[in-house]
Amino acid sequence: NAGVTQTPKFRILKIGQSMTLQCTQDMNHNYMYWYRQDPGMGLKLIYYSVGAGITDKGEVPNGYNVSRSTTEDFPLRLELAAPSQTSVYFCASSSTSGSYNEQFFGPGTRLTVL
Amino acid sequence: GENVEQHPSTLSVQEGDSAVIKCTYSDSASNYFPWYKQELGKRPQLIIDIRSNVGEKKDQRIAVTLNKTAKHFSLHITETQPEDSAVYFCADPGRYQKVTFGTGTKLQVIP
């Protein structure tokens, strides 16, 4: 199993540009998450999904959108990029199987907005 | 998991000493308490977790204790080694899997 994969690894955007961060997991997990981590800081939840077709806002959703059309994929869309969105973005997944379980993280996408 | 407080934010210990990090949560319905380790430039990875039906869990040099009455859980690392240097996060999924992470503790083990 590849686990959780993210693309791209790095990206530089100009202010106002848009992009999609890709996230795929091959563990058949029903829960998926997007976090951002600013330098020296903790993980802030952007959006999460409890299953295909269901998404919900986290702590910092403004400026982002998500979709979950399949169990495997959970892309994060940035519209009109701003310098405040410069961060490292982590995707994660977990399986509940009746109780809460470990989150598996992808390797991260380092985004810089100039 | 709406509100999770983690202390201290930084911790320096001599190699071989013990380290303790504490998290306080607010949702009384929370029943799963994980700890993640994040090395510099890497992704967070689970190192130990505990469920609400037990008070303590140990795995070699690391342990987690839970006090449901006081709503806090702690990470204990004994006989610290330089490779324990990292940032440690607690997390609380709450009752709806809307996971909240603590603010992190940067642990430095001095050889």
Side-chain angles (χ1 to χ4, degrees), chain A:
Chain A
N1 285 353
V4 181
T5 56
Q6 292 182 238
T7 57
K9 286 187 171 56
F10 305 93
R11 183 74 185 266
I12 298 175
L13 282 182
K14 294 183 179 178
I15 295 173
Q17 287 186 320
S18 300
M19 77 166 292
T20 299
L21 282 68
Q22 301 292 344
C23 175
T24 300
Q25 54 92 8
D26 62 359
M27 298 174 281
N28 201 32
H29 286 172
N30 47 345
Y31 286 79
M32 294 188 75
Y33 305 82
W34 274 106
Y35 298 92
R36 59 174 289 172
Q37 186 174 37
D38 298 337
M41 303 294 284
L43 296 152
K44 299 286 188 183
L45 182 64
I46 305 172
Y47 271 96
Y48 69 112
S49 168
V50 301
I54 306 169
T55 63
D56 207 348
K57 295 178 181 179
E59 185 181 354
V60 289
N62 292 345
Y64 307 94
N65 276 301
V66 294
S67 60
R68 183 96 182 270
S69 56
T70 66
T71 300
E72 295 78 20
D73 300 305
F74 191 39
L76 178 71
R77 178 82 178 162
L78 278 73
E79 304 282 2
L80 299 174
S84 61
Q85 293 178 303
T86 294
S87 191
V88 177
Y89 291 83
F90 287 102
C91 178
S93 72
S94 68
S95 172
T96 54
S97 298
S99 60
Y100 303 134
N101 285 323
E102 174 182 0
Q103 286 196 312
F104 293 84
F105 285 81
T109 294
R110 188 176 297 274
L111 175 67
T112 302
V113 182
L114 300 174

Side-chain angles (χ1 to χ4, degrees), chain B residues 69-84:
Chain B
T69 303
K71 293 184 188 174
H72 65 73
F73 57 111
S74 300
L75 176 69
H76 305 255
I77 306 174
T78 58
E79 301 172 31
T80 53
Q81 300 169 3
E83 53 264 37
D84 294 330

Side-chain angles (χ1 to χ4, degrees), chain B residues 11-21 37 47 60-63 75-86 88 105-111:
Chain B
L11 181 59
S12 290
V13 299
Q14 293 289 332
E15 182 177 356
D17 287 350
S18 295
V20 181
I21 305 168
K37 176 183 180 182
I47 54 171
Q60 298 184 336
R61 295 186 298 107
I62 60 173
L75 176 69
H76 305 255
I77 306 174
T78 58
E79 301 172 31
T80 53
Q81 300 169 3
E83 53 264 37
D84 294 330
S85 295
Y88 293 82
T105 297
K106 185 174 182 179
L107 173 64
Q108 181 184 20
V109 179
I110 303 166

